[in-house]
Amino acid sequence: MKGLHIIADLYGCRNRDLLASSAMLRETCVAACKAVGLTVLGDHFYQFEGLDATQVGGATGAVVFAESHLAIHTWPERDGATLDVYVCNVTSDNSAKAEQLYETLAGALQPGDVMVERVWRGRDLPLKKQRLAVVG
């Protein structure tokens, strides 16, 4: 369960179309997860309405993959987004995949400024083997 958790706030995003379209955001996120070699299990994205007729709404979404998850939230009225990438695995180090996914999505959003934190989660623990009871 060791893994890298990347938490980022993206400001001044220049790709306004991506900020305002849950369909485009979904397509970009799912494709990016697959491109870095993650096993996508499912996703859910939602489109918000704008606050009034002068604003477009943002989008929110999550992709669940066997190695953990991606969550993203956008605010086109503020040219911003938040990104949460957590990639773990009990048998191998997937931190490079987390970094690639983050770089791909940040590149797609084209932020002018980023605040990012990297948190290393978990620790080495012995793998417990359990005997299954025989049902008879």
Side-chain angles (χ1 to χ4, degrees), residues 18-23 25 45-48 57-61 72-76:
L18 193 55
L19 291 175
S21 170
S22 63
L25 193 64
F45 283 76
Y46 181 81
Q47 181 70 52
F48 292 97
T60 189
I72 188 165
H73 312 281
T74 70
W75 289 269

Side-chain angles (χ1 to χ4, degrees), residues 38-101:
L38 297 168
T39 310
V40 174
L41 302 175
D43 65 83
H44 184 78
F45 283 76
Y46 181 81
Q47 181 70 52
F48 292 97
E49 293 183 20
L51 296 175
D52 58 38
T54 66
Q55 294 183 7
V56 295
T60 189
V63 180
V64 176
F65 32 87
E67 302 84 1
S68 202
H69 72 271
L70 156 71
I72 188 165
H73 312 281
T74 70
W75 289 269
E77 71 276 13
R78 296 181 179 211
D79 295 330
T82 59
L83 187 58
D84 182 70
V85 175
Y86 179 40
V87 180
C88 62
N89 194 315
V90 73
T91 59
S92 64
D93 179 2
N94 280 327
S95 58
K97 291 179 182 179
E99 292 288 358
Q100 287 177 305
L101 182 57

